[in-house]
Structure formats: C-alpha cells, structure tokens
Amino acid sequence: MTNPPLDAFGPLYTSAQIAARVRELGAQISRDFAGEQLIVVGVLKGAALFMSDLIRAIDVPLRCDFLRVSSYEGGLKSTGVVRFEFDITQTIEDQNVILVEDIVDTGLTANFLYENLKLRRPKSLRFCTLLHKSANTKINFDLDYIGFTIPNRFVIGYGLDLDGLYRNLPDIRALPED
Ligand code: PRP
C-alpha cells in the first residue's frame, strides 16, 4: 500500500494551540510537584519535540532521560508487539518519574512502559501524552496529563511521523476519519 501524500492531511492543531496547551501542562506538572524533583523520560522518537517544549514549561528541578521502543515498524498500524530498542541510563528507584509520549493510541506501548518502569520502584510514576486517541485505547492505568483527546484519525507533525517523514512540521495534521 502506498502512503498518502502530505496534501491528504488537514489541519488539526496549530503550533500556537500546541504551545498554549504545552504551557498549561507544564504549569500543572510544576504545581503537582512543587518542592520535589523529577526525572522526565521521553519516548523517542515521536516525543522529542513535545518533550523539549514541555521541560522548558516545567519549573521544578528535573533530569531528562530517553528510551525507545517500537511497534509500528514504519506503517500506519501497530504490529501488536512492543520492542525495547534502548533504555534510560539512570536508576529511577525512589524518584518521581514522568513518562512523556507524543500519542497514546491502542495503549500497547503505554501499558508496556508503565509496567516495565513500575518494576523499578519509582517514588511515583505518572504518564503524560500530548495526544490521546481515546476510542482505540485499552489501558491498565490512568493517563495523568493529556494534551488533547483526538478522534480516530492518523496524525502527523510536531514529532509524529508517517514512515519517518513529517516529524518536523510545527503543526499537527490529520487524515480524514477512517
Ligand atoms: C508511536 C508513539 C507511541 C506509540 C503509540 O511510536 O510514539 O510510542 O506509537 O501507539 P500505541 O498506543 O498503539 O502503542 P512509534 O512506534 O510509531 O515510534 P516513533 O515514536 O519513533 O514514531
């Protein structure tokens, strides 16, 4: 199957709307963790842009880390199998941890990561996602911070890709509903 061209995608969120929501999420996290320290863990590659903006909107002391898992193998649909490609580089035991994702779709990746990091005994573990495709999600825990809840549409831009392309778009665009 050939991938849809860029002009098949319509606007979903402008860069200004994204920036405003990211500031709100950062303020909320700052309030929730006032007086504490954080380890913020970005899930590469999709969360890279969101993570870099989000941490600048948080004003409690924090350390960054990154990990990478994969389940989409470049296509439009999840393969159903989550694979660790690389892990964080610090211990999270007794630390406040926030996992940062660009999107929760089926919830497969989020469930896998939540269970995996929970086993490392963090002081707290919260989950922050810019986008939540809620109709699709089967998730075993609460999503603590959600930027936007979106319909079941394939999205690109602001870190989100189609076969590796379009992550650099400053806005978020979507295909028409399936
Ligand atoms: C995307 C996204 C999430 C996951 C969400 O990652 O960043 O990690 O899919 O889908 P799910 O809820 O159905 O598990 P992807 O595997 O496309 O890698 P990428 O971040 O490098 O684009």
Side-chain angles (χ1 to χ4, degrees), residues 2 12 14 18 35 39 43 52-53 55 60 66 71 81 85 88 91 108 125 127 129 143 165:
T2 56
L12 192 61
T14 65
I18 297 165
I39 298 179
V43 183
S52 73
D53 288 338
I55 58 173
V60 301
F66 297 93
S71 66
V81 179
E85 295 196 351
I88 54 175
T91 176
L108 194 76
L125 178 58
F127 203 100
T129 185
L143 295 171
L165 293 172

Side-chain angles (χ1 to χ4, degrees), residues 3-113:
N3 287 328
L6 184 56
D7 63 10
F9 290 80
L12 192 61
Y13 297 107
T14 65
S15 56
Q17 288 172 316
I18 297 165
R21 188 67 188 119
V22 172
R23 277 196 298 274
E24 288 174 355
L25 290 171
Q28 194 183 345
I29 291 169
S30 303
R31 282 195 300 276
D32 291 352
F33 289 94
E36 304 263 342
Q37 281 198 13
L38 281 175
I39 298 179
V40 184
V41 177
V43 183
L44 294 174
K45 302 173 189 172
L49 279 72
F50 176 42
M51 169 98 171
S52 73
D53 288 338
L54 181 69
I55 58 173
R56 283 177 284 181
I58 298 174
D59 68 2
V60 301
L62 64 83
R63 294 188 172 87
C64 292
D65 216 322
F66 297 93
L67 55 78
R68 172 153 172 76
V69 290
S70 179
S71 66
Y72 277 77
E73 310 290 349
L76 290 174
K77 296 268 187 246
S78 172
T79 59
V81 179
V82 183
R83 205 158 45 86
F84 242 110
E85 295 196 351
F86 55 82
D87 203 346
I88 54 175
T89 59
Q90 59 200 297
T91 176
I92 58 168
E93 191 168 351
D94 293 326
Q95 304 289 322
N96 298 304
V97 176
I98 300 185
L99 267 165
V100 177
E101 266 285 24
D102 53 343
I103 187 165
V104 172
D105 185 345
T106 64
L108 194 76
T109 310
N111 283 327
F112 173 84
L113 288 174

Side-chain angles (χ1 to χ4, degrees), residues 138-151:
K138 290 187 184 65
I139 209 155
N140 305 329
F141 62 95
D142 289 334
L143 295 171
D144 304 284
Y145 306 103
I146 297 171
F148 303 102
T149 299
I150 63 166

